[in-house]
Amino acid sequence: MAVKREISVKKYLLAFVLTLLVFSGGILAGIVLENARLDDAEDITLKEKVALRSLQLQQAHIDSGIADCNSLHTILDNNINQLTRSMAVVIDYEKRSLFNQKKFNLLLQDYFLTEIQFYFLSKEIDKKCQQDSVKILYFYDQNKDETQGDILSYLKKKFGSRILVFSLDSEFTQEPLIHILLTSYNISTFPAVVIDEKVYQGHRDVREVMSILCEEFVKIGVELPEECKIVQKSGS
Amino acid sequence: MIVTFLDIVLFSTYFILLFLSIFWLLVLFSSKEEKKEKTLNRKPFFTTIVPAYNEEKSIQGTLQSLVDLEYPEEKKEIIVVNDGSTDRTRKLVEQFIRENPSKNIMLVNQENKGKGNAMNAGLKIAKGEYFACLDADSFIASNALKEMLPVFESDENIAAVCPLLKVKKPDSMLQKVQWCEYIINMFYKFLNSKLDCIHVTPGPFSVYKTNVVKDIGGFSEKTITEDLEIAIRLQKHHYRIVQIFDTIVETTAPTTWKKLFWQRTRWYKGSVDNTFQYKQLIFNKKYGDFGIVRMPTIIASGVIAIILTGTLLQSLLSKLYHFLMYLNDINFDLITLIRKFSINFNFLSLPFSRIFIAATLIGISFFIMIYSYKLVKEKITNHGRTWTSMITYLSIYGLFITFVWIYIGFMFVSRKKNAWF
């Protein structure tokens, strides 16, 4: 005598349907969340554009005395810091996006353009006002597990407003201007750093970048940070 | 969106776990209840087999708990099979027999041949219509037979009845964690019992129908987890195994992580070996839910544990490696990092999907824990066994068990055999 075996078909089906329902709920929540991220990214982009326009206007009227160089430098530094933070957020949104990839890509393109505009504007400001910061153009490859970006963030923490870092994704083919910049600087290896029009291709350690920056600080005549004095001493 | 391997693993695992959780919840709330006869209409002869190998510390206590069983003296016998003990086990049993001459206790001495062989040696001379095995490190409640034997009366297809297992006197944190684990395992067995899916009849006082076990060939002597093997074999022959909660058997739990590791390695490796041995049952409709869900999940649980923890560890180690590389790049200038530390918190950047998955799984785990305690009529804070034990069980213990599974994976790759470590 043996027991009659049963298969709980109804339970399996119901469990499967309920699991699908939970997952569908998750996908719905994902769509809502992604739309919220898209709205947030659009807000951020608008804010950056407004900040850029404001700075452009101030730079244009510097000769008339409406704006002064000191406040222009401060605003530029704040704008770039904000831009870097916002860009990290938009890149993160773009990476997570499932349904609005194209829109996020467009926003990102807009962002890179704004950043490039800020870069050119900072050079324009330097022409009218005395240069008080070193501009670093940083081309990264997001597919590489690299620490160059972290090194630059660290140096930004160390030198504060003395350096301005403009990060561009070398793989972002959607924006031709990035490609034009890469060609004009003759860059083929990543990561690459452009400091004072000089190109440094491949990974550069913190000492090397710091040494380059210290030389630049001397050139532009800003107060030399303590770290540079140590680097110069150890170099000599 | 870049879908990483980790994402695929996490979502697939989550889907399977969620599906199984919902399935078992449906089983839990289904109305099927075991109809148990409350009283025994007759008193069948009962045999207890005690296989003992170097059990001098606990053998007399074990025998005392058997002598104290509330059952007519003339209807029960105890067979101690001394499996080549090298300590004082034999002398202590002989002394116990001398002190309890009327208790129908027999001692069989043999060379060390393993537990399966010792069980068969006892089974050969057992006179009982029903018999139980009691490991010499376990202690039985006196009402055991009154509660367990009537279960057999309710359905002639029932071949084995398992008692409620608890850890005896959990003193250390590790034992308290195992105390939690045993209770949760009882909950799983309760669910499995509802679907006739029990795949193990634990050594401590599982009661069997003697003629059924003899008919299917007795205990396996090839495996060291014969209690797992016999259960699957009973299932293969379409017999039922029932879990009850009215009888408590207390067992001694390992006191060190090392001992626990080897015990669990033996158990889980035994489970996997037995599953492979009876692979024809996997996804076999002939065996109902046991073939469809129970057999595959024995192996799947290990595979999921290895993949999930492996992938999470890989991701964690990769992040740690990247951070160390970064620290190395900046000459370990932690002072600047701490002085200029700022939090760029963005609510919308939170990994909601992973948070949701973790929250759901933790929620389900807590539900299972709380329901388990309710089922076995225990309070969570009983005897100082506090929430700490539960949280430790959920966190560290899970990781520990994964390492056991990883080691079993290694045993498979290196073709290492299961053994008493």
Side-chain angles (χ1 to χ4, degrees):
Chain A
M1 179 66 69
V3 68
K4 190 178 171 288
R5 294 289 193 172
E6 285 174 15
I7 299 175
S8 315
V9 180
K10 279 184 188 169
K11 287 192 185 77
Y12 290 119
L13 285 176
L14 189 57
F16 187 72
V17 170
L18 288 172
T19 309
L20 278 182
L21 270 176
V22 174
F23 260 72
S24 309
I27 291 168
L28 261 175
I31 293 170
V32 173
L33 199 68
E34 197 166 306
N35 284 335
R37 283 177 180 153
L38 198 61
D39 289 345
D40 189 40
E42 280 167 353
D43 275 0
I44 294 170
T45 316
L46 192 63
K47 275 181 200 162
E48 295 304 332
K49 275 183 179 168
V50 171
L52 177 70
R53 274 193 66 191
S54 165
L55 198 68
Q56 277 172 330
L57 211 61
Q58 289 178 63
Q59 185 264 341
H61 292 90
I62 201 148
D63 297 330
S64 61
I66 292 173
D68 69 284
C69 283
N70 275 345
S71 56
L72 220 57
H73 283 310
T74 312
I75 293 167
L76 179 67
D77 183 49
N78 287 340
N79 284 345
I80 299 302
N81 289 343
Q82 185 55 46
L83 188 75
T84 310
R85 279 196 293 271
S86 307
M87 200 155 77
V89 171
V90 177
I91 289 172
D92 181 57
Y93 288 170
E94 193 264 342
K95 275 184 186 166
R96 289 164 192 266
S97 83
L98 271 175
F99 314 101
N100 298 297
Q101 191 93 34
K102 277 186 181 173
K103 282 185 184 172
F104 276 111
N105 253 306
L106 266 175
L107 282 171
L108 207 55
Q109 187 176 3
D110 200 14
Y111 240 84
F112 285 129
L113 280 175
T114 311
E115 192 167 29
I116 294 167
Q117 275 182 291
F118 265 117
Y119 176 68
F120 289 137
L121 184 63
S122 71
K123 295 211 152 202
E124 290 299 316
I125 292 172
D126 284 348
K127 281 179 193 166
K128 290 189 177 176
C129 305
Q130 196 202 342
Q131 185 179 352
D132 79 334
S133 60
V134 177
K135 278 82 188 170
I136 303 171
L137 203 51
Y138 166 51
F139 294 96
Y140 62 88
D141 180 351
Q142 62 166 341
N143 300 319
K144 276 188 183 174
D145 188 24
E146 252 287 326
T147 52
Q148 192 70 70
D150 296 326
I151 290 173
L152 293 175
S153 305
Y154 164 77
L155 289 171
K156 176 71 188 165
K157 278 182 180 158
K158 220 154 176 67
F159 296 134
S161 61
R162 290 185 188 91
I163 64 169
L164 291 180
V165 183
F166 302 85
S167 310
L168 295 170
D169 182 358
S170 62
E171 294 287 304
F172 198 81
T173 47
Q174 206 171 312
E175 176 45 55
L177 198 53
I178 294 178
H179 185 68
I180 292 167
L181 281 171
L182 287 172
T183 315
S184 69
Y185 286 116
N186 208 13
I187 294 170
S188 55
T189 309
F190 302 99
V193 175
V194 180
I195 304 171
D196 192 25
E197 301 303 310
K198 280 186 210 118
V199 180
Y200 303 90
Q201 297 192 62
H203 180 86
R204 304 284 153 159
D205 67 30
V206 74
R207 275 191 91 76
E208 193 177 351
V209 184
M210 202 190 268
S211 163
I212 297 163
L213 288 175
C214 291
E215 279 175 29
E216 290 299 319
F217 292 149
V218 174
K219 262 192 220 169
I220 62 174
V222 294
E223 192 192 343
L224 215 54
E226 203 56 41
E227 291 81 7
C228 285
K229 288 171 190 165
I230 299 165
V231 170
Q232 281 176 341
K233 267 184 197 170
S234 61
S236 61
Chain B
M1 182 179 179
I2 299 162
V3 180
T4 61
F5 179 65
L6 177 68
D7 291 326
I8 296 168
V9 170
L10 278 175
F11 278 95
S12 316
T13 310
Y14 175 61
F15 191 92
I16 295 166
L17 287 177
L18 190 65
F19 170 76
L20 289 173
S21 305
I22 292 173
F23 173 74
W24 286 116
L25 282 176
L26 292 173
V27 173
L28 175 65
F29 295 114
S30 67
S31 54
K32 191 187 167 191
E33 286 291 337
E34 195 62 45
K35 282 175 202 162
K36 190 186 129 184
E37 295 290 329
K38 285 289 171 196
T39 49
L40 262 179
N41 299 322
R42 57 196 184 89
K43 302 281 180 206
F45 199 84
F46 186 81
T47 304
T48 310
I49 303 169
V50 184
Y53 176 70
N54 291 347
E55 305 286 359
E56 62 180 15
K57 281 183 190 164
S58 54
I59 189 73
Q60 287 194 325
T62 304
L63 290 175
Q64 190 59 51
S65 74
L66 286 171
V67 164
D68 292 342
L69 270 176
E70 292 165 12
Y71 204 68
E73 296 292 343
E74 68 282 6
K75 292 283 185 180
K76 65 176 181 181
E77 65 175 356
I78 301 165
I79 303 170
V80 181
V81 184
N82 173 31
D83 191 29
S85 295
T86 52
D87 64 357
R88 296 191 308 131
T89 303
R90 180 178 176 167
K91 276 187 181 173
L92 291 171
V93 175
E94 285 170 347
Q95 184 192 336
F96 193 88
I97 293 172
R98 275 197 303 277
E99 286 166 5
N100 298 275
S102 62
K103 301 295 179 187
N104 205 3
I105 306 171
M106 269 177 283
L107 172 65
V108 177
N109 291 300
Q110 64 172 40
E111 282 175 30
N112 183 249
K113 289 175 181 170
K115 194 178 161 189
N117 184 283
M119 286 299 299
N120 285 334
L123 191 60
K124 211 178 281 176
I125 55 168
K127 286 186 279 186
E129 186 180 334
Y130 299 101
F131 78 96
C133 156
L134 186 64
D135 288 341
D137 59 354
S138 304
F139 308 88
I140 181 80
S142 59
N143 68 341
L145 293 180
K146 275 187 177 175
E147 297 291 342
M148 294 175 87
L149 291 182
V151 179
F152 287 96
E153 305 283 307
S154 60
D155 182 351
E156 61 179 344
N157 292 313
I158 295 173
V161 176
C162 310
L164 167 62
L165 279 186
K166 280 187 183 177
V167 169
K168 188 177 169 64
K169 287 181 189 165
D171 296 322
S172 66
M173 181 62 159
L174 182 62
Q175 285 180 316
K176 284 175 187 174
V177 169
Q178 288 175 80
W179 191 81
C180 287
E181 186 206 14
Y182 271 63
I183 286 174
I184 288 153
N185 278 348
M186 285 302 112
F187 174 71
Y188 288 129
K189 286 193 80 180
F190 166 73
L191 293 177
N192 278 295
S193 184
K194 275 192 155 198
L195 290 185
D196 285 324
C197 279
I198 291 181
H199 77 292
V200 57
T201 44
F205 217 74
S206 289
V207 176
Y208 304 88
K209 218 178 241 177
T210 312
N211 64 336
V212 170
V213 175
K214 280 183 177 171
D215 283 350
I216 63 167
F219 288 87
S220 168
E221 296 178 17
K222 287 178 188 164
T223 173
I224 57 166
T225 48
E226 71 300 319
D227 48 354
L228 293 160
E229 197 276 341
I230 191 86
I232 298 181
R233 195 141 40 94
L234 284 172
Q235 291 281 6
K236 191 190 167 197
H237 288 86
H238 301 292
Y239 285 106
R240 294 186 62 204
I241 302 167
V242 175
Q243 174 68 48
I244 65 160
F245 296 92
D246 308 311
T247 296
I248 299 166
V249 173
E250 290 190 311
T251 189
T252 317
T255 46
T256 64
W257 285 101
K258 195 179 168 186
K259 283 180 186 167
L260 182 66
F261 182 86
W262 293 123
Q263 184 198 56
R264 294 311 152 98
T265 302
R266 185 164 50 81
W267 286 3
Y268 297 163
K269 176 74 166 61
S271 295
V272 177
D273 285 345
N274 291 328
T275 311
F276 278 122
Q277 190 185 340
Y278 294 100
K279 55 181 179 288
Q280 70 272 24
L281 272 68
I282 299 174
F283 293 123
N284 191 335
K285 282 194 257 177
K286 218 170 99 184
Y287 298 96
D289 291 318
F290 186 76
I292 298 294
V293 74
R294 183 65 266 182
M295 286 295 277
T297 47
I298 295 172
I299 295 175
S301 54
V303 173
I304 286 174
I306 291 172
I307 293 178
L308 196 63
T309 313
T311 324
L312 285 170
L313 277 179
Q314 187 267 335
S315 160
L316 209 69
L317 288 175
S318 147
K319 281 193 171 77
L320 183 71
Y321 172 76
H322 186 88
F323 181 66
L324 288 174
M325 288 290 287
Y326 168 51
L327 284 182
N328 183 48
D329 278 340
I330 62 165
N331 299 323
F332 293 90
D333 182 8
L334 285 166
I335 295 165
T336 304
L337 293 186
I338 294 165
R339 271 175 49 205
K340 300 286 171 85
F341 178 75
S342 61
I343 300 170
N344 294 322
F345 177 75
N346 180 37
F347 177 73
L348 289 173
S349 290
L350 287 174
F352 287 99
S353 54
R354 287 183 193 181
I355 291 172
F356 181 70
I357 290 172
T360 319
L361 294 180
I362 289 170
I364 291 171
S365 306
F366 266 98
F367 171 79
I368 290 170
M369 282 186 136
I370 289 160
Y371 202 94
S372 306
Y373 278 78
K374 197 182 148 198
L375 188 76
V376 298
K377 300 178 187 90
E378 281 279 2
K379 281 182 183 171
I380 290 165
T381 51
N382 257 3
H383 315 296
R385 295 155 200 137
T386 58
W387 288 93
T388 327
S389 312
M390 289 174 69
I391 291 161
T392 312
Y393 172 74
L394 273 179
S395 50
I396 300 168
Y397 196 72
L399 196 67
F400 168 78
I401 292 299
T402 306
F403 284 118
V404 172
W405 278 112
I406 290 170
Y407 184 72
I408 290 167
F410 163 76
M411 285 174 87
F412 262 98
V413 173
S414 58
R415 294 179 183 277
K416 219 171 163 181
K417 282 194 171 176
N418 208 2
W420 288 87
F421 298 99

